[in-house]
Coordinates of all heavy atoms in Angstrom, one line a residue:
M266 N 5.5 0.6 -12.8 CA 5.2 1.2 -11.6 C 4.7 2.7 -11.8 O 3.8 3.1 -11.2 CB 6.4 1.2 -10.7 CG 6.2 1.8 -9.3 SD 5.4 0.7 -8.2 CE 5.6 1.5 -6.7
K267 N 5.4 3.4 -12.7 CA 5.0 4.8 -12.9 C 3.6 4.9 -13.4 O 2.9 5.8 -13.0 CB 6.0 5.4 -13.9 CG 5.8 6.9 -14.1 CD 6.8 7.5 -15.1 CE 6.4 8.9 -15.3 NZ 7.4 9.7 -16.0
Q268 N 3.2 4.0 -14.3 CA 1.9 4.1 -14.9 C 0.8 3.8 -13.8 O -0.2 4.5 -13.7 CB 1.7 3.1 -16.0 CG 0.5 3.2 -16.9 CD 0.6 2.3 -18.1 OE1 1.4 1.3 -18.1 NE2 -0.3 2.6 -19.0
L269 N 1.1 2.9 -12.9 CA 0.2 2.6 -11.8 C 0.1 3.8 -10.9 O -1.1 4.2 -10.5 CB 0.7 1.4 -11.0 CG 0.0 1.0 -9.7 CD1 -1.4 0.5 -10.0 CD2 0.8 0.0 -8.9
C270 N 1.2 4.4 -10.5 CA 1.1 5.6 -9.7 C 0.3 6.7 -10.3 O -0.5 7.4 -9.6 CB 2.5 6.0 -9.3 SG 3.5 4.9 -8.3
E271 N 0.5 6.9 -11.6 CA -0.2 8.0 -12.3 C -1.7 7.7 -12.3 O -2.5 8.6 -12.1 CB 0.3 8.1 -13.7 CG 1.7 8.7 -13.8 CD 2.3 8.6 -15.3 OE1 1.6 8.0 -16.2 OE2 3.4 9.2 -15.5
K272 N -2.1 6.4 -12.4 CA -3.5 6.1 -12.4 C -4.1 6.3 -11.0 O -5.2 6.8 -10.9 CB -3.7 4.6 -12.8 CG -5.1 4.2 -13.0 CD -5.7 4.8 -14.2 CE -7.0 4.3 -14.5 NZ -7.7 5.0 -15.6
V273 N -3.4 6.0 -9.9 CA -3.9 6.2 -8.6 C -4.1 7.7 -8.4 O -5.1 8.2 -7.8 CB -2.9 5.6 -7.5 CG1 -3.2 6.1 -6.1 CG2 -2.9 4.1 -7.6
I274 N -3.1 8.5 -8.8 CA -3.1 10.0 -8.6 C -4.3 10.6 -9.4 O -5.0 11.5 -8.9 CB -1.8 10.6 -8.9 CG1 -0.7 10.1 -7.9 CG2 -1.9 12.2 -8.8 CD1 -1.0 10.1 -6.4
E275 N -4.4 10.1 -10.6 CA -5.5 10.6 -11.5 C -6.9 10.3 -10.8 O -7.8 11.2 -10.8 CB -5.4 9.9 -12.8 CG -6.5 10.2 -13.8 CD -6.5 9.4 -15.1 OE1 -5.4 8.9 -15.4 OE2 -7.5 9.3 -15.7
F276 N -7.1 9.1 -10.3 CA -8.3 8.7 -9.6 C -8.6 9.7 -8.4 O -9.7 10.2 -8.3 CB -8.2 7.3 -9.1 CG -9.4 6.8 -8.4 CD1 -10.4 6.2 -9.2 CD2 -9.6 6.9 -7.1 CE1 -11.6 5.7 -8.6 CE2 -10.8 6.4 -6.4 CZ -11.7 5.8 -7.2
R277 N -7.5 9.9 -7.6 CA -7.6 10.8 -6.5 C -8.0 12.3 -6.9 O -8.9 12.9 -6.4 CB -6.3 10.9 -5.7 CG -6.3 11.8 -4.5 CD -4.9 12.2 -4.1 NE -4.3 13.1 -5.2 CZ -3.0 13.3 -5.2 NH1 -2.2 12.8 -4.4 NH2 -2.5 14.0 -6.2
D278 N -7.3 12.7 -7.9 CA -7.5 14.1 -8.4 C -8.9 14.3 -9.0 O -9.5 15.4 -8.9 CB -6.4 14.5 -9.4 CG -5.0 14.7 -8.7 OD1 -5.0 14.7 -7.4 OD2 -4.0 14.8 -9.4
E279 N -9.4 13.3 -9.7 CA -10.7 13.4 -10.3 C -11.8 13.6 -9.3 O -12.9 14.2 -9.6 CB -11.0 12.2 -11.2 CG -10.2 12.1 -12.4 CD -10.4 10.8 -13.2 OE1 -11.0 9.8 -12.6 OE2 -10.0 10.7 -14.4
R280 N -11.5 13.2 -8.1 CA -12.5 13.3 -7.0 C -12.2 14.4 -6.0 O -12.8 14.6 -5.0 CB -12.6 12.0 -6.3 CG -13.3 10.9 -7.1 CD -12.8 9.5 -6.8 NE -13.5 8.6 -7.7 CZ -13.1 8.3 -9.0 NH1 -12.0 9.0 -9.5 NH2 -13.8 7.5 -9.8
N281 N -11.1 15.2 -6.3 CA -10.7 16.3 -5.5 C -10.4 15.9 -4.0 O -10.7 16.6 -3.1 CB -11.7 17.5 -5.5 CG -11.8 18.1 -6.9 OD1 -10.8 18.3 -7.6 ND2 -13.1 18.3 -7.3
W282 N -9.8 14.7 -3.9 CA -9.5 14.2 -2.5 C -8.1 14.7 -2.0 O -7.9 14.6 -0.8 CB -9.5 12.7 -2.5 CG -10.8 12.1 -2.7 CD1 -12.0 12.7 -2.6 CD2 -11.1 10.7 -3.0 NE1 -13.0 11.8 -2.8 CE2 -12.5 10.5 -3.0 CE3 -10.3 9.6 -3.1 CZ2 -13.1 9.3 -3.3 CZ3 -10.9 8.4 -3.4 CH2 -12.3 8.2 -3.4
D283 N -7.3 15.3 -2.9 CA -5.9 15.6 -2.4 C -6.0 16.7 -1.3 O -5.1 16.6 -0.4 CB -5.1 16.2 -3.6 CG -3.7 16.4 -3.2 OD1 -3.1 15.5 -2.6 OD2 -3.1 17.5 -3.6
A284 N -6.9 17.6 -1.3 CA -7.0 18.6 -0.3 C -7.2 18.0 1.1 O -6.8 18.6 2.1 CB -8.1 19.6 -0.6
N285 N -7.8 16.9 1.2 CA -8.1 16.2 2.4 C -7.1 15.2 2.8 O -7.2 14.6 3.9 CB -9.5 15.5 2.4 CG -10.6 16.5 2.1 OD1 -10.6 17.6 2.6 ND2 -11.5 16.2 1.2
H286 N -6.1 14.9 2.0 CA -5.1 13.9 2.2 C -3.8 14.6 2.7 O -3.1 15.1 1.8 CB -4.9 13.0 1.0 CG -6.0 12.1 0.7 ND1 -6.0 11.3 -0.4 CD2 -7.2 11.9 1.3 CE1 -7.1 10.6 -0.4 NE2 -7.9 11.0 0.6
N287 N -3.5 14.5 4.0 CA -2.2 15.0 4.4 C -1.4 13.8 4.8 O -1.9 12.7 4.9 CB -2.4 16.0 5.6 CG -3.1 15.3 6.8 OD1 -2.6 14.4 7.4 ND2 -4.3 15.8 7.1
E288 N -0.1 14.0 5.0 CA 0.8 12.9 5.3 C 0.4 12.1 6.5 O 0.4 10.8 6.4 CB 2.2 13.5 5.5 CG 2.8 14.1 4.3 CD 2.5 15.6 4.1 OE1 1.5 16.1 4.9 OE2 3.1 16.3 3.3
K289 N 0.0 12.7 7.6 CA -0.4 12.0 8.8 C -1.6 11.1 8.5 O -1.6 9.9 8.8 CB -0.8 13.0 9.9 CG -1.3 12.3 11.2 CD -1.9 13.3 12.2 CE -3.2 13.9 11.7 NZ -4.4 13.2 11.8
D290 N -2.7 11.6 7.9 CA -3.9 10.9 7.6 C -3.6 9.7 6.6 O -4.2 8.7 6.7 CB -5.0 11.8 7.2 CG -5.5 12.7 8.3 OD1 -5.3 12.3 9.5 OD2 -6.1 13.7 8.0
L291 N -2.8 10.0 5.7 CA -2.4 8.9 4.7 C -1.7 7.8 5.4 O -1.9 6.6 5.2 CB -1.6 9.5 3.5 CG -2.4 10.3 2.6 CD1 -1.5 11.1 1.6 CD2 -3.5 9.5 1.8
A292 N -0.8 8.1 6.3 CA 0.0 7.1 7.1 C -1.0 6.3 8.0 O -0.9 5.1 8.1 CB 1.1 7.8 7.9
I293 N -1.9 7.0 8.6 CA -2.9 6.3 9.4 C -3.8 5.4 8.5 O -4.0 4.2 8.9 CB -3.8 7.3 10.1 CG1 -3.1 8.0 11.2 CG2 -5.1 6.7 10.7 CD1 -3.8 9.2 11.8
S294 N -4.1 5.8 7.3 CA -4.9 5.0 6.4 C -4.2 3.8 6.0 O -4.8 2.7 5.9 CB -5.4 5.8 5.2 OG -6.2 6.9 5.6
I295 N -2.9 3.9 5.8 CA -2.1 2.7 5.4 C -2.2 1.7 6.6 O -2.4 0.5 6.3 CB -0.6 3.1 5.1 CG1 -0.5 3.9 3.9 CG2 0.3 1.9 5.1 CD1 0.8 4.7 3.7
S296 N -2.0 2.2 7.8 CA -2.1 1.3 8.9 C -3.4 0.6 9.1 O -3.5 -0.6 9.3 CB -1.7 2.1 10.2 OG -1.8 1.2 11.3
L297 N -4.5 1.4 8.9 CA -5.8 0.9 9.0 C -6.1 -0.2 8.0 O -6.7 -1.3 8.2 CB -6.9 2.0 8.9 CG -6.9 3.0 10.1 CD1 -7.8 4.2 9.7 CD2 -7.3 2.3 11.3
E298 N -5.7 0.1 6.7 CA -5.9 -0.9 5.6 C -5.0 -2.1 5.9 O -5.5 -3.3 5.6 CB -5.6 -0.3 4.3 CG -6.5 0.8 3.9 CD -8.0 0.4 3.7 OE1 -8.3 -0.8 3.6 OE2 -8.9 1.3 3.8
A299 N -3.8 -2.0 6.4 CA -3.0 -3.1 6.7 C -3.6 -4.0 7.8 O -3.6 -5.2 7.7 CB -1.6 -2.7 7.1
N300 N -4.3 -3.3 8.7 CA -5.0 -4.1 9.8 C -6.2 -4.8 9.2 O -6.6 -5.9 9.7 CB -5.4 -3.2 10.9 CG -4.2 -2.9 11.8 OD1 -3.6 -3.9 12.4 ND2 -3.7 -1.7 11.9
E301 N -6.9 -4.2 8.2 CA -8.0 -4.9 7.6 C -7.5 -6.1 6.8 O -8.1 -7.2 6.8 CB -8.7 -3.9 6.6 CG -9.5 -2.9 7.4 CD -10.3 -2.0 6.5 OE1 -10.5 -2.3 5.3 OE2 -10.7 -0.9 7.0
L302 N -6.3 -6.0 6.2 CA -5.7 -7.2 5.6 C -5.4 -8.2 6.6 O -5.7 -9.4 6.5 CB -4.4 -6.7 4.9 CG -3.4 -7.8 4.4 CD1 -4.1 -8.6 3.3 CD2 -2.2 -7.2 3.9
L303 N -4.8 -7.8 7.8 CA -4.5 -8.8 8.8 C -5.7 -9.5 9.4 O -5.7 -10.7 9.7 CB -3.7 -8.0 9.9 CG -3.2 -8.8 11.1 CD1 -2.2 -9.9 10.6 CD2 -2.5 -7.9 12.1
E304 N -6.8 -8.8 9.4 CA -8.0 -9.3 10.0 C -8.5 -10.6 9.2 O -9.1 -11.5 9.8 CB -9.2 -8.3 9.9 CG -10.4 -8.7 10.6 CD -11.4 -7.5 10.6 OE1 -11.4 -6.7 9.7 OE2 -12.2 -7.4 11.6
N305 N -8.1 -10.7 8.0 CA -8.5 -11.9 7.2 C -7.8 -13.2 7.7 O -8.3 -14.3 7.5 CB -8.0 -11.7 5.7 CG -8.9 -10.8 5.0 OD1 -10.0 -11.1 4.6 ND2 -8.4 -9.6 4.8
F306 N -6.7 -13.0 8.4 CA -5.9 -14.1 8.9 C -6.2 -14.4 10.4 O -5.8 -15.5 10.9 CB -4.4 -13.8 8.8 CG -4.0 -13.7 7.3 CD1 -4.1 -12.5 6.6 CD2 -3.7 -14.9 6.6 CE1 -3.7 -12.5 5.3 CE2 -3.3 -14.8 5.3 CZ -3.3 -13.6 4.6
Q307 N -7.0 -13.6 11.1 CA -7.2 -13.8 12.5 C -8.0 -15.1 12.8 O -9.0 -15.3 12.1 CB -8.0 -12.6 13.1 CG -8.2 -12.6 14.6 CD -8.9 -11.4 15.1 OE1 -9.6 -10.7 14.4 NE2 -8.7 -11.1 16.3
W308 N -7.4 -15.9 13.7 CA -8.0 -17.1 14.1 C -8.1 -18.2 13.0 O -8.9 -19.1 13.1 CB -9.4 -16.9 14.7 CG -9.5 -15.8 15.6 CD1 -10.3 -14.7 15.5 CD2 -8.8 -15.6 16.9 NE1 -10.1 -13.8 16.6 CE2 -9.2 -14.4 17.4 CE3 -7.8 -16.3 17.5 CZ2 -8.6 -13.9 18.6 CZ3 -7.3 -15.8 18.7 CH2 -7.7 -14.6 19.2
K309 N -7.3 -18.1 12.0 CA -7.2 -19.1 10.9 C -5.7 -19.4 10.7 O -4.9 -18.6 10.9 CB -7.8 -18.5 9.7 CG -9.3 -18.1 9.7 CD -9.7 -17.5 8.4 CE -11.1 -16.9 8.5 NZ -11.1 -15.5 8.9
T310 N -5.5 -20.5 10.1 CA -4.2 -20.8 9.5 C -4.1 -20.0 8.2 O -5.1 -19.5 7.7 CB -4.0 -22.3 9.2 OG1 -4.9 -22.6 8.1 CG2 -4.3 -23.2 10.4
S311 N -2.9 -19.8 7.8 CA -2.7 -19.1 6.5 C -3.5 -19.7 5.4 O -4.1 -19.0 4.6 CB -1.2 -19.1 6.1 OG -0.5 -18.3 7.0
R312 N -3.4 -21.0 5.3 CA -4.1 -21.8 4.3 C -5.7 -21.5 4.4 O -6.3 -21.2 3.3 CB -3.8 -23.2 4.4 CG -4.5 -24.1 3.3 CD -4.2 -25.5 3.5 NE -4.2 -26.2 2.2 CZ -3.6 -27.3 1.9 NH1 -3.0 -27.9 2.9 NH2 -3.7 -27.8 0.7
E313 N -6.2 -21.6 5.6 CA -7.6 -21.3 5.7 C -8.0 -19.9 5.3 O -9.0 -19.7 4.6 CB -8.1 -21.6 7.2 CG -8.0 -23.0 7.7 CD -8.2 -23.1 9.2 OE1 -7.9 -22.2 9.9 OE2 -8.5 -24.2 9.6
A314 N -7.2 -19.0 5.7 CA -7.5 -17.6 5.4 C -7.5 -17.3 3.9 O -8.4 -16.7 3.4 CB -6.5 -16.7 6.1
V315 N -6.4 -17.8 3.3 CA -6.3 -17.6 1.8 C -7.5 -18.3 1.1 O -8.1 -17.7 0.2 CB -5.0 -18.2 1.3 CG1 -4.9 -18.2 -0.2 CG2 -3.8 -17.3 1.9
Q316 N -7.8 -19.5 1.5 CA -9.0 -20.2 0.8 C -10.3 -19.4 1.1 O -11.1 -19.3 0.2 CB -9.1 -21.6 1.3 CG -8.0 -22.5 0.8 CD -8.1 -23.9 1.4 OE1 -8.7 -24.2 2.3 NE2 -7.3 -24.8 0.7
A317 N -10.5 -18.9 2.3 CA -11.8 -18.3 2.6 C -11.9 -16.9 2.2 O -13.1 -16.4 1.9 CB -12.0 -18.4 4.2
T318 N -10.8 -16.2 2.2 CA -10.9 -14.7 1.9 C -10.0 -14.2 0.9 O -9.6 -13.0 0.9 CB -10.7 -13.9 3.3 OG1 -9.4 -14.2 3.7 CG2 -11.7 -14.3 4.3
H319 N -9.6 -15.0 -0.1 CA -8.6 -14.7 -1.1 C -9.0 -13.3 -1.8 O -8.1 -12.5 -1.9 CB -8.5 -15.8 -2.1 CG -7.4 -15.6 -3.0 ND1 -7.5 -15.1 -4.3 CD2 -6.0 -15.8 -2.9 CE1 -6.3 -15.1 -4.9 NE2 -5.4 -15.5 -4.0
Q320 N -10.2 -13.1 -2.2 CA -10.6 -11.9 -2.9 C -10.4 -10.7 -2.0 O -9.9 -9.7 -2.4 CB -12.0 -12.0 -3.4 CG -12.5 -10.8 -4.2 CD -11.6 -10.5 -5.4 OE1 -11.2 -11.4 -6.1 NE2 -11.4 -9.2 -5.7
N321 N -10.9 -10.8 -0.7 CA -10.8 -9.7 0.2 C -9.3 -9.4 0.5 O -8.9 -8.2 0.6 CB -11.5 -10.0 1.5 CG -11.6 -8.7 2.3 OD1 -10.9 -8.6 3.3 ND2 -12.6 -7.9 1.9
I322 N -8.5 -10.4 0.6 CA -7.0 -10.2 0.8 C -6.5 -9.4 -0.3 O -5.7 -8.4 -0.1 CB -6.3 -11.5 1.0 CG1 -6.7 -12.2 2.3 CG2 -4.8 -11.4 0.9 CD1 -6.2 -13.6 2.5
K323 N -6.8 -9.7 -1.6 CA -6.3 -9.0 -2.7 C -6.7 -7.5 -2.7 O -5.9 -6.6 -2.9 CB -6.8 -9.6 -4.0 CG -6.2 -11.0 -4.3 CD -6.5 -11.5 -5.7 CE -7.9 -11.6 -6.0 NZ -8.2 -12.1 -7.4
E324 N -8.0 -7.3 -2.3 CA -8.5 -5.9 -2.2 C -7.9 -5.1 -1.1 O -7.6 -3.9 -1.4 CB -10.0 -6.0 -2.1 CG -10.8 -6.5 -3.3 CD -12.2 -6.7 -3.1 OE1 -12.8 -6.3 -2.1 OE2 -12.9 -7.3 -4.0
E325 N -7.6 -5.7 0.0 CA -7.0 -5.0 1.1 C -5.5 -4.7 0.7 O -5.0 -3.6 1.1 CB -7.1 -5.8 2.4 CG -8.5 -5.9 2.9 CD -9.3 -4.7 3.1 OE1 -8.7 -3.6 3.2 OE2 -10.5 -4.8 3.2
M326 N -4.9 -5.6 0.1 CA -3.5 -5.4 -0.4 C -3.5 -4.2 -1.3 O -2.6 -3.3 -1.3 CB -2.9 -6.6 -1.1 CG -2.6 -7.7 -0.1 SD -2.2 -9.3 -0.9 CE -0.6 -8.8 -1.6
A327 N -4.5 -4.1 -2.2 CA -4.5 -3.0 -3.2 C -4.8 -1.7 -2.4 O -4.2 -0.7 -2.8 CB -5.7 -3.2 -4.2
D328 N -5.6 -1.7 -1.4 CA -5.9 -0.5 -0.6 C -4.6 0.0 0.0 O -4.4 1.2 0.0 CB -6.9 -0.8 0.5 CG -8.4 -0.9 -0.1 OD1 -8.6 -0.4 -1.2 OD2 -9.2 -1.4 0.6
V329 N -3.8 -0.9 0.6 CA -2.6 -0.5 1.2 C -1.7 0.2 0.2 O -1.1 1.3 0.4 CB -1.8 -1.7 1.9 CG1 -0.4 -1.3 2.3 CG2 -2.6 -2.2 3.0
L330 N -1.5 -0.4 -1.0 CA -0.7 0.2 -2.0 C -1.2 1.5 -2.5 O -0.4 2.5 -2.7 CB -0.5 -0.8 -3.2 CG 0.4 -0.4 -4.3 CD1 1.8 -0.1 -3.8 CD2 0.4 -1.4 -5.4
I331 N -2.5 1.6 -2.7 CA -3.1 2.9 -3.1 C -2.8 4.0 -2.2 O -2.3 5.1 -2.6 CB -4.6 2.7 -3.3 CG1 -4.9 1.9 -4.5 CG2 -5.3 4.1 -3.4 CD1 -6.3 1.4 -4.7
Y332 N -2.9 3.8 -0.9 CA -2.6 4.8 0.1 C -1.1 5.1 0.1 O -0.7 6.2 0.3 CB -3.1 4.5 1.5 CG -4.6 4.8 1.7 CD1 -5.5 3.8 2.0 CD2 -5.0 6.1 1.6 CE1 -6.8 4.1 2.1 CE2 -6.4 6.4 1.8 CZ -7.3 5.4 2.1 OH -8.6 5.7 2.2
L333 N -0.3 4.1 0.0 CA 1.2 4.2 0.0 C 1.6 5.1 -1.2 O 2.4 6.0 -1.1 CB 1.8 2.9 0.0 CG 3.3 2.9 0.1 CD1 3.8 3.5 1.5 CD2 3.8 1.4 0.1
V334 N 1.0 4.8 -2.3 CA 1.3 5.6 -3.5 C 0.9 7.1 -3.3 O 1.7 8.0 -3.7 CB 0.6 5.1 -4.8 CG1 0.6 6.0 -5.9 CG2 1.3 3.7 -5.2
Q335 N -0.2 7.3 -2.7 CA -0.6 8.7 -2.4 C 0.3 9.4 -1.4 O 0.6 10.6 -1.6 CB -2.1 8.7 -1.9 CG -3.1 8.3 -3.0 CD -4.5 8.3 -2.5 OE1 -5.1 9.4 -2.3 NE2 -5.0 7.2 -2.2
L336 N 0.8 8.7 -0.4 CA 1.7 9.3 0.5 C 3.0 9.6 -0.1 O 3.6 10.7 0.1 CB 1.9 8.3 1.7 CG 2.9 8.8 2.8 CD1 2.4 10.1 3.4 CD2 3.0 7.7 3.9
A337 N 3.5 8.7 -1.0 CA 4.7 9.0 -1.7 C 4.6 10.2 -2.6 O 5.5 11.0 -2.7 CB 5.1 7.7 -2.5
D338 N 3.5 10.3 -3.3 CA 3.2 11.5 -4.1 C 3.2 12.8 -3.3 O 3.8 13.7 -3.7 CB 1.9 11.3 -4.8 CG 1.6 12.5 -5.7 OD1 2.3 12.7 -6.8 OD2 0.6 13.2 -5.4
K339 N 2.5 12.7 -2.2 CA 2.4 13.9 -1.3 C 3.8 14.3 -0.8 O 4.1 15.5 -0.7 CB 1.5 13.6 -0.1 CG 1.3 14.7 0.9 CD 0.5 15.8 0.3 CE -1.0 15.6 0.3 NZ -1.7 16.8 -0.1
M340 N 4.7 13.4 -0.6 CA 6.0 13.7 0.0 C 7.1 13.8 -1.1 O 8.2 13.9 -0.8 CB 6.4 12.6 1.0 CG 5.4 12.6 2.2 SD 5.9 11.4 3.4 CE 7.4 12.0 4.0
D341 N 6.6 13.7 -2.4 CA 7.5 13.8 -3.5 C 8.7 12.7 -3.4 O 9.8 13.0 -3.6 CB 8.1 15.2 -3.7 CG 8.7 15.4 -5.0 OD1 8.3 14.8 -6.0 OD2 9.7 16.2 -5.1
I342 N 8.2 11.5 -3.2 CA 9.2 10.3 -3.0 C 8.9 9.4 -4.2 O 7.8 9.0 -4.5 CB 8.9 9.6 -1.7 CG1 9.3 10.5 -0.5 CG2 9.7 8.3 -1.7 CD1 8.9 9.9 0.8
D343 N 10.0 9.0 -4.9 CA 10.0 8.0 -5.9 C 10.0 6.7 -5.3 O 11.1 6.2 -4.9 CB 11.2 8.2 -6.9 CG 11.1 7.2 -8.1 OD1 10.6 6.1 -7.9 OD2 11.7 7.6 -9.1
L344 N 8.8 6.1 -5.1 CA 8.7 4.9 -4.4 C 9.5 3.7 -5.0 O 10.1 2.9 -4.3 CB 7.2 4.5 -4.3 CG 6.7 3.5 -3.2 CD1 7.2 3.9 -1.8 CD2 5.2 3.4 -3.3
E345 N 9.4 3.6 -6.3 CA 10.2 2.6 -7.0 C 11.7 2.7 -6.7 O 12.3 1.7 -6.3 CB 9.9 2.6 -8.5 CG 10.6 1.5 -9.2 CD 10.3 1.5 -10.7 OE1 9.7 2.5 -11.2 OE2 10.6 0.5 -11.4
E346 N 12.2 3.9 -6.8 CA 13.6 4.1 -6.5 C 14.0 3.7 -5.0 O 15.0 3.1 -4.7 CB 14.0 5.6 -6.7 CG 15.4 5.9 -6.4 CD 15.7 7.4 -6.7 OE1 15.1 8.0 -7.6 OE2 16.5 8.0 -5.9
E347 N 13.1 4.1 -4.1 CA 13.3 3.8 -2.7 C 13.3 2.3 -2.4 O 14.0 1.8 -1.6 CB 12.3 4.6 -1.8 CG 12.5 6.1 -1.8 CD 13.9 6.5 -1.5 OE1 14.6 6.0 -0.6 OE2 14.4 7.4 -2.2
V348 N 12.4 1.6 -3.1 CA 12.4 0.1 -2.9 C 13.7 -0.5 -3.4 O 14.3 -1.3 -2.7 CB 11.2 -0.5 -3.7 CG1 11.3 -2.0 -3.7 CG2 9.9 -0.1 -3.0
Y349 N 14.2 -0.1 -4.5 CA 15.5 -0.6 -5.0 C 16.6 -0.3 -4.0 O 17.5 -1.1 -3.7 CB 15.8 -0.1 -6.4 CG 15.0 -0.7 -7.5 CD1 14.2 0.0 -8.4 CD2 15.0 -2.1 -7.7 CE1 13.5 -0.6 -9.4 CE2 14.3 -2.7 -8.7 CZ 13.5 -1.9 -9.5 OH 12.8 -2.5 -10.5
K350 N 16.6 0.9 -3.5 CA 17.6 1.3 -2.5 C 17.5 0.4 -1.3 O 18.6 0.0 -0.7 CB 17.5 2.8 -2.1 CG 18.0 3.8 -3.1 CD 17.7 5.2 -2.6 CE 18.1 6.2 -3.6 NZ 17.8 7.6 -3.1
K351 N 16.3 0.2 -0.8 CA 16.1 -0.6 0.4 C 16.5 -2.1 0.2 O 17.1 -2.7 1.0 CB 14.7 -0.5 0.8 CG 14.4 -1.2 2.1 CD 15.1 -0.6 3.3 CE 14.7 -1.3 4.6 NZ 15.3 -0.8 5.8
L352 N 16.3 -2.6 -1.0 CA 16.7 -3.9 -1.4 C 18.2 -4.0 -1.3 O 18.7 -5.0 -0.8 CB 16.1 -4.4 -2.7 CG 14.6 -4.7 -2.7 CD1 14.2 -4.9 -4.2 CD2 14.3 -5.9 -1.9
E353 N 18.9 -3.0 -1.9 CA 20.4 -3.0 -1.8 C 20.9 -3.0 -0.4 O 21.8 -3.7 0.0 CB 20.9 -1.8 -2.6 CG 20.8 -2.0 -4.1 CD 21.3 -0.7 -4.8 OE1 22.1 0.1 -4.2 OE2 20.9 -0.5 -6.0
K354 N 20.3 -2.2 0.4 CA 20.6 -2.0 1.8 C 20.4 -3.4 2.5 O 21.2 -3.8 3.3 CB 19.8 -0.9 2.5 CG 20.2 -0.6 3.9 CD 19.4 0.6 4.4 CE 19.8 0.9 5.9 NZ 19.1 2.1 6.4
N355 N 19.3 -4.0 2.3 CA 18.9 -5.3 2.9 C 19.9 -6.4 2.5 O 20.2 -7.3 3.2 CB 17.5 -5.7 2.7 CG 16.5 -4.8 3.5 OD1 16.9 -4.1 4.4 ND2 15.3 -4.9 3.1
A356 N 20.3 -6.3 1.2 CA 21.2 -7.3 0.7 C 22.6 -7.3 1.4 O 23.2 -8.3 1.7 CB 21.5 -7.1 -0.8
L357 N 23.0 -6.1 1.8 CA 24.2 -6.0 2.6 C 24.0 -6.4 4.0 O 24.9 -7.1 4.6 CB 24.7 -4.5 2.6 CG 25.1 -3.9 1.2 CD1 25.4 -2.4 1.4 CD2 26.3 -4.7 0.7
K358 N 22.9 -6.1 4.6 CA 22.6 -6.5 5.9 C 22.3 -8.0 6.1 O 22.6 -8.6 7.1 CB 21.3 -5.7 6.4 CG 21.0 -5.9 7.9 CD 19.8 -5.0 8.2 CE 19.5 -5.1 9.7 NZ 18.4 -4.2 10.1
Y359 N 21.7 -8.6 5.0 CA 21.4 -10.0 5.1 C 21.9 -10.7 3.8 O 21.2 -11.1 2.9 CB 19.8 -10.2 5.1 CG 19.1 -9.5 6.2 CD1 18.4 -8.3 5.9 CD2 19.2 -9.9 7.5 CE1 17.8 -7.6 6.9 CE2 18.6 -9.2 8.5 CZ 17.8 -8.1 8.2 OH 17.2 -7.4 9.2
P360 N 23.3 -10.9 3.8 CA 23.9 -11.6 2.7 C 23.4 -13.0 2.5 O 23.0 -13.7 3.4 CB 25.4 -11.5 3.0 CG 25.5 -11.3 4.4 CD 24.2 -10.7 4.9
K361 N 23.6 -13.5 1.3 CA 23.2 -14.9 1.0 C 24.0 -15.9 1.8 O 25.1 -15.7 2.2 CB 23.5 -15.2 -0.5 CG 22.6 -14.4 -1.4 CD 22.9 -14.8 -2.9 CE 22.2 -13.9 -3.8 NZ 22.5 -14.2 -5.2

């Protein structure tokens, strides 16, 4: 995960995009990309959507993650650590 995050931040920094990326706009971008992901499924069954737009679904999922990594970096959040914490919390809330 760390290597992936470093690659995303390197890509951003090479293009000097950090100055234009604030927390609000990154959060909006996550939502917009998630909606682009969702659009692949509109008016289709899951099976139809996956068959027809599999490549686009993968790309939109990547876009969501890229913006999420950038938001975590901007807010100095260890995303991997927070995922593990949330899984532990969910395990207590939703036991086997």
Side-chain angles (χ1 to χ4, degrees):
M266 180 81 169
K267 183 177 178 171
Q268 194 173 15
L269 172 68
C270 292
E271 288 172 355
K272 189 69 174 172
V273 169
I274 300 310
E275 177 185 340
F276 183 90
R277 178 202 68 196
D278 290 348
E279 288 174 349
R280 288 152 183 82
N281 296 317
W282 289 349
D283 188 45
N285 300 318
H286 289 178
N287 59 65
E288 295 85 349
K289 175 191 69 78
D290 289 336
L291 289 167
I293 289 170
S294 295
I295 292 166
S296 179
L297 292 172
E298 293 298 341
N300 281 297
E301 288 181 18
L302 171 62
L303 185 58
E304 190 174 29
N305 288 284
F306 294 91
Q307 186 177 23
W308 313 121
K309 301 175 186 89
T310 65
S311 290
R312 182 182 211 160
E313 290 168 340
V315 170
Q316 287 177 344
T318 61
H319 191 259
Q320 182 60 37
N321 191 260
I322 289 169
K323 293 190 303 184
E324 291 173 8
E325 297 303 340
M326 290 172 68
D328 285 340
V329 170
L330 182 57
I331 288 167
Y332 278 117
L333 188 57
V334 165
Q335 290 180 77
L336 180 58
D338 179 69
K339 179 67 79 174
M340 297 180 67
D341 197 28
I342 294 171
D343 183 332
L344 198 53
E345 184 176 12
E346 179 182 324
E347 294 306 317
V348 169
Y349 285 122
K350 286 180 184 178
K351 184 64 177 182
L352 287 172
E353 287 178 21
K354 185 176 181 178
N355 286 348
L357 294 173
K358 187 175 181 179
Y359 305 106
K361 295 180 188 179

